Amino acid sequence: MELLLADWLGKPLWMWSGFLAIVFALLAFDLGLLNRGDNEIGIAKSLRLSAFYIGFACLYGAVVWWAFETGNLKTTDGTHAGVTFFTGFFIEKALSIDNVFVISLIFSFFAIPRRYQYRALVWGIIAVIILRGLMIGIGAALVQQYDWILFIFGAFLVATGIKMLIVPEAEPDMSKNKLIVFFKKRMRVTDSLHGERFFVRQPDAVTGRMLIYATPLFLALVVINIADLIFAVDSVPAIFAITTDPFIVFTANIMAILGLRALYFALAAMVHRFEYLKTALALVLVFIGGKIFWNQIFGKVDPAISLGVTLALILGGVVFSLWKTRGQAATRHAE
């Protein structure tokens, strides 16, 4: 009992372990019950699962809000736990949508059928949780030790946002991706898939010895998780710019990522319709980054304003994108 009450990064250990228990229970339910076997995930099922994850995250956020208002939960930086959780959640959710295009390219490059993609994504999230946890833990330690590092986060977010606004984005050539080339040179990889298996034993072409080979599905899983880590370089500083409380940063981050795997199959089919979302995300990053400097010079911005501006920009980007590309949807449907 004393161990569970022990403080870790500003919160008792039971809060951390309780949240992780919820996360792994959701993953076990998702992978073990909802998606038993290798059936293909359709758009309708994808949207239902996404609604479930978003609803669950909002319910969790409501509990966080209630706990803060009743004095049962305090933040290490004094910010409103509920407001900052939802702000971080919506930013991370919007940034995650941008990942879908890259994930889709990776699956297409390795010729992974849709019926195997979901399991790879769900297993991949376990690695993402560990990696995000490490990044957030390191970030929290740095912020507590050197508070000036927030200015670096702010400058980085503003620079990233401006770059997204002015530098045209080109579709990457996966065949020339250095990461994929690196792994293919250093790993034994089969030429074809072996169902949903990540590794198989088969004879070496020269010696005839039975060796362990990775399958293209495993290689796709590795590349996707490294891509997730690269995208986290934007998202983690963005949430730290809202609150430096490690628990709120981690829970908002993970809650947003959990639902991405379900939402992927719906978004992958219509990602072309969110072309203006990147502009909205760029403005969000500039706003959040600039807020750090404003807070230090003029005083803290009301967290409710941050949440309102963030929601307005993201929803505006989504609605404007869908409106501007409505003709594309009709054309594709006709085809």
Side-chain angles (χ1 to χ4, degrees), residues 3-330:
L3 178 62
L4 291 177
L5 294 175
D7 182 87
W8 191 65
L9 293 178
K11 297 291 182 295
L13 197 58
W14 69 263
M15 290 184 65
W16 291 99
S17 57
F19 177 75
L20 289 177
I22 292 172
V23 169
F24 285 109
L26 286 172
L27 288 174
F29 176 71
D30 195 337
L31 184 61
L33 296 178
L34 294 181
N35 297 286
R36 185 173 295 169
D38 57 2
N39 296 324
E40 185 174 320
I41 303 298
I43 293 179
K45 186 175 183 179
S46 172
L47 290 174
R48 288 197 299 270
L49 283 173
S50 299
F52 167 76
Y53 275 115
I54 293 173
F56 189 91
C58 290
L59 178 62
Y60 181 86
V63 172
V64 169
W65 194 303
W66 170 84
F68 180 83
E69 290 288 345
T70 57
N72 293 307
L73 175 65
K74 299 183 183 300
T75 54
T76 56
D77 59 355
T79 55
H80 192 294
V83 174
T84 51
F85 172 85
F86 279 109
T87 306
F89 172 77
F90 288 123
I91 289 176
E92 178 59 37
K93 198 72 175 175
L95 288 170
S96 295
I97 291 174
D98 201 39
N99 300 8
V100 169
F101 176 66
V102 174
I103 294 173
S104 180
L105 282 178
I106 293 171
F107 278 139
S108 297
F109 177 78
F110 288 106
I112 308 297
R114 286 174 64 89
R115 64 181 181 275
Y116 300 138
Q117 291 176 9
Y118 194 85
R119 285 208 165 195
L121 290 170
V122 175
W123 283 113
I125 199 174
I126 296 175
V128 172
I129 290 171
I130 296 171
L131 292 172
R132 291 286 176 105
L134 289 173
M135 289 186 68
I136 290 168
I138 293 171
L142 289 173
V143 169
Q144 289 179 4
Q145 189 72 23
Y146 312 103
D147 56 358
W148 49 264
I149 203 167
L150 284 173
F151 287 103
I152 297 178
F153 284 172
F156 173 77
L157 292 173
V158 171
T160 301
I162 293 174
K163 180 182 177 183
M164 289 170 65
L165 286 171
I166 64 177
V167 178
E169 186 178 27
E171 183 172 325
D173 184 353
M174 300 302 295
S175 64
K176 296 180 181 179
N177 185 281
K178 293 181 179 179
L179 188 62
I180 295 175
V181 173
F182 173 84
F183 281 114
K184 281 195 168 183
K185 283 184 177 180
R186 290 161 178 80
M187 294 177 64
R188 291 187 293 268
V189 183
T190 60
D191 294 328
S192 59
L193 289 169
H194 291 260
E196 61 183 27
R197 298 171 68 182
F198 291 132
F199 297 96
V200 294
R201 293 180 66 88
Q202 63 182 37
D204 181 75
V206 179
T207 65
R209 292 174 53 201
M210 295 298 291
L211 299 174
I212 297 176
Y213 282 74
T215 66
L217 184 63
F218 176 76
L219 201 54
L221 175 65
V222 172
V223 175
I224 285 171
N225 276 284
I226 293 176
D228 265 325
L229 187 61
I230 294 171
F231 279 113
V233 174
D234 288 339
S235 63
V236 172
I239 298 184
F240 268 113
I242 297 164
T243 176
T244 57
D245 186 291
F247 185 76
I248 301 300
V249 171
F250 181 72
T251 54
N253 217 281
I254 299 306
M255 277 295 178
I257 293 171
L258 277 174
L260 175 65
R261 283 4 186 212
L263 191 58
Y264 166 78
F265 293 95
L267 288 180
M270 54 185 297
V271 70
H272 63 284
R273 298 198 60 197
F274 291 94
E275 59 180 286
Y276 294 97
L277 179 60
K278 184 173 288 292
T279 301
L281 291 176
L283 294 174
V284 168
L285 293 181
V286 171
F287 169 72
I288 296 298
K291 188 168 71 72
I292 291 179
F293 296 93
W294 182 279
N295 287 345
Q296 297 300 318
I297 299 172
F298 301 103
K300 285 192 174 183
V301 176
D302 188 337
I305 295 177
S306 297
L307 176 59
V309 172
T310 300
L311 271 176
L313 288 172
I314 293 173
L315 289 176
V318 170
V319 172
F320 186 70
S321 294
L322 294 175
W323 178 69
K324 288 290 287 186
T325 59
R326 63 194 184 281
Q328 295 180 25

